[in-house]
Amino acid sequence: MRQHRKQPARGGSAVWAVAITSMAGFITALDNLIVTTALPSIRKDLGGGLEDLEWTVSAYTLTFAVLLMFGASLGDRFGRRRLFVIGLAIFTAASASAALAPGMGELIAARAAQGVGAAIVTPLTLTLLSAAVPAERRGVAFGIWGAASGIAVATGPLIGGTLTEHLSWQWIFWVNVPLGLALIPLALLRLGESHGPNPTLDLAGTTLVSGGLFGIVYALVRGNANGWTSTPVLGGFFAGTALLVGFVLYELRAQHPMLPMRLFRHRSFSAINAASLLMFLGMFGAIFLLSQYLQTVGGYSPMEAGVRMLPWTAMPMIAGPLAGALSDRIGGAPVVTVGMALNAVGLGLWALAVKPDVSYPALLPALIVCGIGMGMFFAPSANLVMSTVSPEEQGIASGANNAIREVGGAIGVASLAAVFSAQGGYGSASLFVDGLVPALWVGAGAVALAAALALLMPRQHNADGTAAGRAAGDTTAGAPVAL
């Protein structure tokens, strides 16, 4: 087995690592939702039907979700900084291709390529950041990284609407190009190189998990359009589930598994990943519907709706770093639990407040509570994931957690949209609210369950600022990170 190798960061600055990884995380997370408010303009320019527009969104989500773990494995095998730079190059080139796309087919292909680049970059941001920042300051660093990613997810519709209104829809992709071109040389100059322990790639495991996640996410994305009992949707669910079961069985026996199943014997690792899935389920689904509520019922333009979401989206800038610092003092589990509980309360407040003629000030409490809760979740949850594994397995853990989050987001959009369409619709303001209210309660219930799962995590706090290393009876989980 090849020994874990790590080179000192060029320039030796943790500040550079925080800046580079946070910006990379921002631009890849931004593309989850930035395209949504530009879809009418894209259809007007490029033509195509509803299915083409759906694939413009889902091509990115699908490739991002199913290749995240493979991206982490590539970094462990060939060098994390090297693959980080390659992923940025792919993402940047694909963004330019999307902006220049002459038709829907070319745009969908470019969106899929963006997802490939993002799947390589995203899990490596955490491993590179963790390698560059001392353990006692890692909570604050993850707080800044988490705030950047959280703001990107929440402000995607605002940024997309603003660029589309004042420039053109192509600029939602052009905006990535100068940022990517600036980050590539900075990463080469300022980040250190490191490798994982395995000498070979787990190609069989990668194929199984990628196929399984693709089948399930495809079925969820297509469920509302094709019908939940249609052959393609049921086939996606059944085939995806079978492949994921096969992945687990294979990984249990593999000599060099991509995702060692022993990690899930660690109570904190299992609990935070399950909670992350449910958190993203409620959050993504709610943002997807609430941005439409402000436009469809409130009558705001895409940019105006995004501005009115700022009390939610701005809160992580304040709460994220503070939550990271607090997690260094008392442990990440209590902070994550409170953050998810606040998100559940905020979504419940939304459900109680929304009406066809509600005033905007009546919605502010829900916006602020959701924003604080989201900021308290991102940084400590990342720290919890990384602190439950050994340094050489951080890429594996990061890829798994990010894949689970993306799948949770896809489930959230599909499931809350299904509840919305079953109870209401777009025919009138009152009909929209009829569908929105039960969907928000479903989202609030999912996030509340996530908070309950977070209670299963140990509350012990180590001297180095990380969460407790092993749950009772766990003798196989990786040691807490101590770089």
Side-chain angles (χ1 to χ4, degrees):
M1 178 179 293
R2 184 177 61 187
Q3 296 296 314
H4 174 71
R5 302 193 309 271
K6 183 173 64 177
Q7 299 172 3
R10 298 182 186 182
S13 174
V15 174
W16 276 109
V18 171
I20 294 167
T21 58
S22 296
M23 183 55 67
F26 178 86
I27 61 175
T28 55
L30 184 67
D31 272 62
N32 274 296
L33 295 176
I34 194 172
V35 73
T36 54
T37 49
L39 289 176
S41 297
I42 293 174
R43 182 177 182 181
K44 181 179 178 181
D45 282 358
L46 301 184
L50 179 61
E51 184 173 344
D52 296 311
L53 297 181
E54 291 175 349
W55 276 111
T56 302
V57 177
S58 61
Y60 183 81
T61 304
L62 286 173
T63 53
F64 194 2
V66 303
L67 294 177
L68 269 168
M69 294 173 68
F70 188 52
S73 296
L74 286 172
D76 286 348
R77 172 65 179 88
F78 296 108
R80 290 162 179 165
R81 184 187 63 196
R82 179 183 302 166
L83 264 294
F84 180 76
V85 169
I86 291 173
L88 280 173
I90 294 172
F91 183 82
T92 303
S95 297
S97 297
L100 295 170
M104 290 299 298
E106 293 83 357
L107 177 59
I108 292 168
R111 287 285 287 167
Q114 275 189 306
V116 173
I120 297 172
V121 169
T122 300
L124 297 179
T125 57
L126 282 177
T127 51
L128 290 166
L129 183 59
S130 189
V133 179
E136 65 274 10
R137 291 190 290 153
R138 202 171 292 142
V140 175
F142 282 140
I144 298 170
W145 173 89
S149 297
I151 292 167
V153 170
T155 59
L158 166 62
I159 295 174
T162 301
L163 292 173
T164 301
E165 274 190 41
H166 295 287
L167 295 172
S168 69
W169 66 262
Q170 286 89 348
W171 277 95
I172 67 175
F173 303 115
W174 281 126
V175 71
N176 295 325
V177 175
L179 294 174
L181 291 176
L183 287 173
I184 289 171
L186 285 175
L188 290 171
L189 291 171
R190 297 293 181 177
L191 297 179
E193 185 61 282
S194 63
H195 295 76
N198 292 339
T200 59
L201 291 172
D202 181 7
L203 295 178
T206 299
T207 301
L208 287 169
V209 72
S210 297
L213 290 176
F214 179 86
I216 290 176
V217 175
Y218 173 84
L220 288 167
V221 170
R222 298 300 306 159
N224 285 323
N226 290 2
W228 294 100
T229 58
S230 65
T231 299
V233 172
L234 290 179
F237 279 127
F238 288 134
T241 301
L243 288 170
L244 288 180
V245 171
F247 168 72
V248 173
L249 295 175
Y250 176 82
E251 294 295 284
L252 286 170
R253 296 177 296 178
Q255 184 178 4
H256 298 296
M258 179 176 66
L259 179 58
M261 291 295 113
R262 69 177 184 277
L263 296 180
F264 290 95
R265 298 176 189 170
H266 195 300
R267 193 170 71 186
S268 288
F269 186 83
S270 296
I272 192 59
N273 277 290
S276 294
L277 185 144
L278 291 168
M279 172 68 178
F280 270 64
L281 188 157
M283 186 183 68
F284 259 70
I287 290 174
F288 175 76
L289 290 173
L290 290 174
S291 61
Q292 295 184 67
Y293 167 78
L294 290 173
Q295 296 176 60
T296 302
V297 179
Y300 300 111
S301 70
M303 186 185 72
E304 290 170 340
V307 169
R308 282 158 179 80
M309 294 285 282
L310 283 176
W312 184 352
T313 60
M315 280 298 115
M317 295 181 65
I318 302 171
L322 293 177
L326 183 62
S327 71
D328 283 340
R329 295 178 61 86
I330 67 172
V335 181
V336 165
T337 303
V338 173
M340 290 188 289
L342 286 175
N343 268 280
V345 170
L347 292 180
L349 290 175
W350 266 99
L352 293 172
V354 291
K355 293 179 176 60
D357 57 351
V358 69
S359 65
Y360 175 71
L363 303 176
L364 278 174
L367 285 165
I368 293 171
V369 171
C370 282
I372 294 173
M374 188 165 68
M376 293 181 70
F377 167 80
F378 277 111
S381 66
N383 206 358
L384 282 169
V385 170
M386 303 301 276
S387 66
T388 57
V389 299
S390 57
E392 63 269 15
E393 291 178 325
Q394 287 176 357
I396 297 171
S398 174
N401 182 251
N402 279 282
I404 288 169
R405 290 183 179 195
E406 286 295 312
V407 171
I411 294 172
V413 171
S415 58
L416 267 64
V419 173
F420 169 82
S421 61
Q423 301 294 323
Y426 293 92
S428 65
S430 60
L431 194 61
F432 193 100
V433 171
D434 289 341
L436 176 61
V437 171
L440 287 175
W441 282 120
V442 170
V447 180
L449 180 56
L453 285 173
L455 292 173
L456 298 175
M457 292 183 287
R459 291 303 193 273
Q460 290 84 358
H461 181 62
N462 294 337
D464 65 356
T466 63
R470 287 183 171 88
D474 178 10
T475 59
T476 55
V481 176
L483 297 179

